[in-house]
mmCIF file of all heavy atoms in Angstrom:
data_model
loop_
_atom_site.group_PDB
_atom_site.id
_atom_site.type_symbol
_atom_site.label_atom_id
_atom_site.label_comp_id
_atom_site.label_asym_id
_atom_site.label_seq_id
_atom_site.Cartn_x
_atom_site.Cartn_y
_atom_site.Cartn_z
ATOM 1 N N PHE A 59 28.204 1.362 -9.456
ATOM 2 C CA PHE A 59 27.631 0.829 -8.222
ATOM 3 C C PHE A 59 27.520 1.939 -7.187
ATOM 4 O O PHE A 59 28.525 2.538 -6.802
ATOM 5 C CB PHE A 59 28.495 -0.309 -7.678
ATOM 6 C CG PHE A 59 27.894 -0.982 -6.478
ATOM 7 C CD1 PHE A 59 26.780 -1.791 -6.609
ATOM 8 C CD2 PHE A 59 28.436 -0.795 -5.210
ATOM 9 C CE1 PHE A 59 26.210 -2.411 -5.494
ATOM 10 C CE2 PHE A 59 27.887 -1.405 -4.101
ATOM 11 C CZ PHE A 59 26.758 -2.227 -4.258
ATOM 12 N N ARG A 60 26.278 2.203 -6.723
ATOM 13 C CA ARG A 60 26.045 3.324 -5.814
ATOM 14 C C ARG A 60 25.211 2.941 -4.595
ATOM 15 O O ARG A 60 24.657 3.792 -3.917
ATOM 16 C CB ARG A 60 25.373 4.482 -6.568
ATOM 17 C CG ARG A 60 26.135 4.884 -7.809
ATOM 18 C CD ARG A 60 25.709 6.195 -8.389
ATOM 19 N NE ARG A 60 26.463 6.483 -9.595
ATOM 20 C CZ ARG A 60 27.699 6.956 -9.624
ATOM 21 N NH1 ARG A 60 28.321 7.220 -8.482
ATOM 22 N NH2 ARG A 60 28.317 7.191 -10.769
ATOM 23 N N HIS A 61 25.089 1.650 -4.334
ATOM 24 C CA HIS A 61 24.351 1.201 -3.155
ATOM 25 C C HIS A 61 25.211 1.345 -1.905
ATOM 26 O O HIS A 61 26.438 1.349 -1.962
ATOM 27 C CB HIS A 61 23.926 -0.250 -3.317
ATOM 28 C CG HIS A 61 22.815 -0.449 -4.300
ATOM 29 N ND1 HIS A 61 21.493 -0.396 -3.948
ATOM 30 C CD2 HIS A 61 22.832 -0.681 -5.631
ATOM 31 C CE1 HIS A 61 20.737 -0.601 -5.010
ATOM 32 N NE2 HIS A 61 21.531 -0.779 -6.045
ATOM 33 N N SER A 62 24.545 1.422 -0.776
ATOM 34 C CA SER A 62 25.229 1.540 0.506
ATOM 35 C C SER A 62 26.017 0.267 0.809
ATOM 36 O O SER A 62 25.600 -0.838 0.446
ATOM 37 C CB SER A 62 24.202 1.789 1.607
ATOM 38 O OG SER A 62 24.765 1.589 2.877
ATOM 39 N N PRO A 63 27.163 0.395 1.490
ATOM 40 C CA PRO A 63 27.886 -0.804 1.940
ATOM 41 C C PRO A 63 27.047 -1.700 2.851
ATOM 42 O O PRO A 63 27.301 -2.907 2.924
ATOM 43 C CB PRO A 63 29.084 -0.218 2.694
ATOM 44 C CG PRO A 63 29.292 1.122 2.084
ATOM 45 C CD PRO A 63 27.926 1.628 1.754
ATOM 46 N N LEU A 64 26.060 -1.132 3.547
ATOM 47 C CA LEU A 64 25.183 -1.960 4.372
ATOM 48 C C LEU A 64 24.401 -2.942 3.513
ATOM 49 O O LEU A 64 24.293 -4.130 3.841
ATOM 50 C CB LEU A 64 24.211 -1.078 5.160
ATOM 51 C CG LEU A 64 24.804 -0.178 6.242
ATOM 52 C CD1 LEU A 64 23.697 0.593 6.940
ATOM 53 C CD2 LEU A 64 25.603 -0.983 7.248
ATOM 54 N N ALA A 65 23.846 -2.445 2.401
ATOM 55 C CA ALA A 65 23.120 -3.331 1.486
ATOM 56 C C ALA A 65 24.072 -4.336 0.851
ATOM 57 O O ALA A 65 23.728 -5.514 0.678
ATOM 58 C CB ALA A 65 22.418 -2.507 0.411
ATOM 59 N N LEU A 66 25.267 -3.883 0.505
ATOM 60 C CA LEU A 66 26.251 -4.770 -0.105
ATOM 61 C C LEU A 66 26.608 -5.922 0.830
ATOM 62 O O LEU A 66 26.625 -7.096 0.423
ATOM 63 C CB LEU A 66 27.505 -3.968 -0.459
ATOM 64 C CG LEU A 66 28.674 -4.746 -1.068
ATOM 65 C CD1 LEU A 66 28.292 -5.294 -2.432
ATOM 66 C CD2 LEU A 66 29.912 -3.862 -1.162
ATOM 67 N N SER A 67 26.889 -5.617 2.107
ATOM 68 C CA SER A 67 27.272 -6.667 3.055
ATOM 69 C C SER A 67 26.104 -7.584 3.379
ATOM 70 O O SER A 67 26.275 -8.800 3.525
ATOM 71 C CB SER A 67 27.817 -6.033 4.337
ATOM 72 O OG SER A 67 26.854 -5.163 4.916
ATOM 73 N N LEU A 68 24.893 -7.025 3.474
ATOM 74 C CA LEU A 68 23.725 -7.836 3.806
ATOM 75 C C LEU A 68 23.403 -8.831 2.702
ATOM 76 O O LEU A 68 23.216 -10.031 2.956
ATOM 77 C CB LEU A 68 22.517 -6.924 4.056
ATOM 78 C CG LEU A 68 21.197 -7.622 4.381
ATOM 79 C CD1 LEU A 68 21.290 -8.348 5.712
ATOM 80 C CD2 LEU A 68 20.052 -6.614 4.408
ATOM 81 N N PHE A 69 23.373 -8.363 1.462
ATOM 82 C CA PHE A 69 22.971 -9.232 0.361
ATOM 83 C C PHE A 69 24.101 -10.157 -0.109
ATOM 84 O O PHE A 69 23.847 -11.127 -0.812
ATOM 85 C CB PHE A 69 22.467 -8.393 -0.811
ATOM 86 C CG PHE A 69 21.078 -7.871 -0.618
ATOM 87 C CD1 PHE A 69 20.861 -6.634 -0.025
ATOM 88 C CD2 PHE A 69 19.981 -8.617 -1.006
ATOM 89 C CE1 PHE A 69 19.583 -6.149 0.170
ATOM 90 C CE2 PHE A 69 18.691 -8.145 -0.824
ATOM 91 C CZ PHE A 69 18.495 -6.903 -0.227
ATOM 92 N N SER A 70 25.316 -9.841 0.259
ATOM 93 C CA SER A 70 26.415 -10.718 -0.146
ATOM 94 C C SER A 70 26.712 -11.803 0.888
ATOM 95 O O SER A 70 27.479 -12.721 0.614
ATOM 96 C CB SER A 70 27.684 -9.887 -0.378
ATOM 97 O OG SER A 70 28.083 -9.215 0.799
ATOM 98 N N THR A 71 26.074 -11.711 2.061
ATOM 99 C CA THR A 71 26.356 -12.704 3.111
ATOM 100 C C THR A 71 25.101 -13.402 3.630
ATOM 101 O O THR A 71 25.057 -14.620 3.738
ATOM 102 C CB THR A 71 27.068 -12.028 4.298
ATOM 103 O OG1 THR A 71 26.264 -10.934 4.773
ATOM 104 C CG2 THR A 71 28.434 -11.506 3.892
ATOM 105 N N VAL A 72 24.060 -12.648 3.930
ATOM 106 C CA VAL A 72 22.889 -13.197 4.627
ATOM 107 C C VAL A 72 21.798 -13.621 3.654
ATOM 108 O O VAL A 72 21.263 -14.736 3.737
ATOM 109 C CB VAL A 72 22.326 -12.170 5.628
ATOM 110 C CG1 VAL A 72 21.088 -12.731 6.328
ATOM 111 C CG2 VAL A 72 23.392 -11.781 6.637
ATOM 112 N N ILE A 73 21.470 -12.762 2.693
ATOM 113 C CA ILE A 73 20.326 -13.003 1.810
ATOM 114 C C ILE A 73 20.806 -13.559 0.475
ATOM 115 O O ILE A 73 21.612 -12.928 -0.210
ATOM 116 C CB ILE A 73 19.546 -11.698 1.577
ATOM 117 C CG1 ILE A 73 19.074 -11.132 2.918
ATOM 118 C CG2 ILE A 73 18.348 -11.945 0.656
ATOM 119 C CD1 ILE A 73 18.409 -9.796 2.807
ATOM 120 N N PRO A 74 20.340 -14.722 0.071
ATOM 121 C CA PRO A 74 20.709 -15.269 -1.246
ATOM 122 C C PRO A 74 20.178 -14.364 -2.358
ATOM 123 O O PRO A 74 19.162 -13.689 -2.205
ATOM 124 C CB PRO A 74 20.014 -16.636 -1.276
ATOM 125 C CG PRO A 74 19.714 -16.957 0.147
ATOM 126 C CD PRO A 74 19.488 -15.654 0.835
ATOM 127 N N THR A 75 20.882 -14.356 -3.474
ATOM 128 C CA THR A 75 20.521 -13.463 -4.574
ATOM 129 C C THR A 75 19.716 -14.159 -5.659
ATOM 130 O O THR A 75 19.590 -13.643 -6.759
ATOM 131 C CB THR A 75 21.793 -12.861 -5.208
ATOM 132 O OG1 THR A 75 22.682 -13.925 -5.582
ATOM 133 C CG2 THR A 75 22.491 -11.930 -4.244
ATOM 134 N N SER A 76 19.171 -15.343 -5.384
ATOM 135 C CA SER A 76 18.294 -15.981 -6.360
ATOM 136 C C SER A 76 16.996 -15.192 -6.467
ATOM 137 O O SER A 76 16.690 -14.343 -5.631
ATOM 138 C CB SER A 76 17.996 -17.425 -5.935
ATOM 139 O OG SER A 76 17.311 -17.438 -4.700
ATOM 140 N N ARG A 77 16.212 -15.474 -7.468
ATOM 141 C CA ARG A 77 15.002 -14.691 -7.717
ATOM 142 C C ARG A 77 13.971 -14.837 -6.592
ATOM 143 O O ARG A 77 13.350 -13.858 -6.177
ATOM 144 C CB ARG A 77 14.384 -15.144 -9.058
ATOM 145 C CG ARG A 77 13.036 -14.501 -9.399
ATOM 146 C CD ARG A 77 13.172 -13.045 -9.709
ATOM 147 N NE ARG A 77 11.873 -12.419 -9.894
ATOM 148 C CZ ARG A 77 11.682 -11.130 -10.102
ATOM 149 N NH1 ARG A 77 12.717 -10.324 -10.166
ATOM 150 N NH2 ARG A 77 10.475 -10.629 -10.264
ATOM 151 N N ILE A 78 13.811 -16.027 -6.050
ATOM 152 C CA ILE A 78 12.733 -16.286 -5.108
ATOM 153 C C ILE A 78 12.953 -15.585 -3.771
ATOM 154 O O ILE A 78 12.015 -15.009 -3.193
ATOM 155 C CB ILE A 78 12.556 -17.816 -4.899
ATOM 156 C CG1 ILE A 78 11.385 -18.101 -3.968
ATOM 157 C CG2 ILE A 78 13.838 -18.442 -4.383
ATOM 158 C CD1 ILE A 78 10.048 -17.799 -4.526
ATOM 159 N N HIS A 79 14.187 -15.598 -3.253
ATOM 160 C CA HIS A 79 14.429 -15.041 -1.927
ATOM 161 C C HIS A 79 14.241 -13.519 -1.864
ATOM 162 O O HIS A 79 13.543 -13.030 -0.971
ATOM 163 C CB HIS A 79 15.831 -15.424 -1.450
ATOM 164 C CG HIS A 79 15.995 -16.895 -1.187
ATOM 165 N ND1 HIS A 79 16.477 -17.759 -2.143
ATOM 166 C CD2 HIS A 79 15.707 -17.651 -0.092
ATOM 167 C CE1 HIS A 79 16.509 -18.991 -1.644
ATOM 168 N NE2 HIS A 79 16.043 -18.955 -0.410
ATOM 169 N N PRO A 80 14.818 -12.734 -2.791
ATOM 170 C CA PRO A 80 14.543 -11.286 -2.759
ATOM 171 C C PRO A 80 13.074 -10.965 -2.973
ATOM 172 O O PRO A 80 12.543 -10.030 -2.369
ATOM 173 C CB PRO A 80 15.400 -10.743 -3.907
ATOM 174 C CG PRO A 80 16.459 -11.756 -4.116
ATOM 175 C CD PRO A 80 15.812 -13.063 -3.807
ATOM 176 N N THR A 81 12.404 -11.753 -3.804
ATOM 177 C CA THR A 81 10.987 -11.520 -4.045
ATOM 178 C C THR A 81 10.186 -11.650 -2.760
ATOM 179 O O THR A 81 9.337 -10.805 -2.441
ATOM 180 C CB THR A 81 10.464 -12.512 -5.097
ATOM 181 O OG1 THR A 81 11.149 -12.276 -6.332
ATOM 182 C CG2 THR A 81 8.975 -12.323 -5.310
ATOM 183 N N LEU A 82 10.453 -12.707 -2.006
ATOM 184 C CA LEU A 82 9.756 -12.900 -0.736
ATOM 185 C C LEU A 82 10.133 -11.821 0.268
ATOM 186 O O LEU A 82 9.282 -11.360 1.046
ATOM 187 C CB LEU A 82 10.081 -14.286 -0.174
ATOM 188 C CG LEU A 82 9.581 -15.478 -0.999
ATOM 189 C CD1 LEU A 82 10.029 -16.788 -0.364
ATOM 190 C CD2 LEU A 82 8.062 -15.439 -1.137
ATOM 191 N N LEU A 83 11.400 -11.401 0.265
ATOM 192 C CA LEU A 83 11.832 -10.356 1.187
ATOM 193 C C LEU A 83 11.134 -9.038 0.877
ATOM 194 O O LEU A 83 10.655 -8.350 1.788
ATOM 195 C CB LEU A 83 13.353 -10.187 1.101
ATOM 196 C CG LEU A 83 13.931 -9.016 1.912
ATOM 197 C CD1 LEU A 83 13.668 -9.216 3.401
ATOM 198 C CD2 LEU A 83 15.416 -8.847 1.638
ATOM 199 N N TRP A 84 11.058 -8.677 -0.396
ATOM 200 C CA TRP A 84 10.403 -7.422 -0.771
ATOM 201 C C TRP A 84 8.912 -7.456 -0.414
ATOM 202 O O TRP A 84 8.365 -6.470 0.067
ATOM 203 C CB TRP A 84 10.597 -7.150 -2.256
ATOM 204 C CG TRP A 84 11.692 -6.205 -2.580
ATOM 205 C CD1 TRP A 84 11.560 -4.928 -3.044
ATOM 206 C CD2 TRP A 84 13.110 -6.428 -2.488
ATOM 207 N NE1 TRP A 84 12.792 -4.346 -3.245
ATOM 208 C CE2 TRP A 84 13.766 -5.242 -2.912
ATOM 209 C CE3 TRP A 84 13.897 -7.512 -2.097
ATOM 210 C CZ2 TRP A 84 15.147 -5.118 -2.954
ATOM 211 C CZ3 TRP A 84 15.279 -7.381 -2.136
ATOM 212 C CH2 TRP A 84 15.890 -6.216 -2.557
ATOM 213 N N THR A 85 8.262 -8.583 -0.653
ATOM 214 C CA THR A 85 6.849 -8.717 -0.301
ATOM 215 C C THR A 85 6.656 -8.614 1.203
ATOM 216 O O THR A 85 5.722 -7.953 1.687
ATOM 217 C CB THR A 85 6.299 -10.067 -0.800
ATOM 218 O OG1 THR A 85 6.531 -10.182 -2.202
ATOM 219 C CG2 THR A 85 4.809 -10.181 -0.533
ATOM 220 N N PHE A 86 7.537 -9.240 1.952
ATOM 221 C CA PHE A 86 7.472 -9.174 3.414
ATOM 222 C C PHE A 86 7.666 -7.733 3.887
ATOM 223 O O PHE A 86 6.971 -7.272 4.808
ATOM 224 C CB PHE A 86 8.535 -10.084 4.020
ATOM 225 C CG PHE A 86 8.662 -9.969 5.508
ATOM 226 C CD1 PHE A 86 7.707 -10.528 6.348
ATOM 227 C CD2 PHE A 86 9.740 -9.292 6.075
ATOM 228 C CE1 PHE A 86 7.817 -10.407 7.731
ATOM 229 C CE2 PHE A 86 9.853 -9.171 7.450
ATOM 230 C CZ PHE A 86 8.888 -9.736 8.278
#
Side-chain angles (χ1 to χ4, degrees):
F59 185 71
R60 307 194 182 281
H61 287 271
S62 166
L64 293 181
L66 178 66
S67 58
L68 178 66
F69 283 91
S70 61
T71 56
V72 179
I73 302 175
T75 54
S76 62
R77 175 69 186 176
I78 183 69
H79 293 94
T81 297
L82 295 177
L83 174 63
W84 261 251
T85 304
F86 173 75

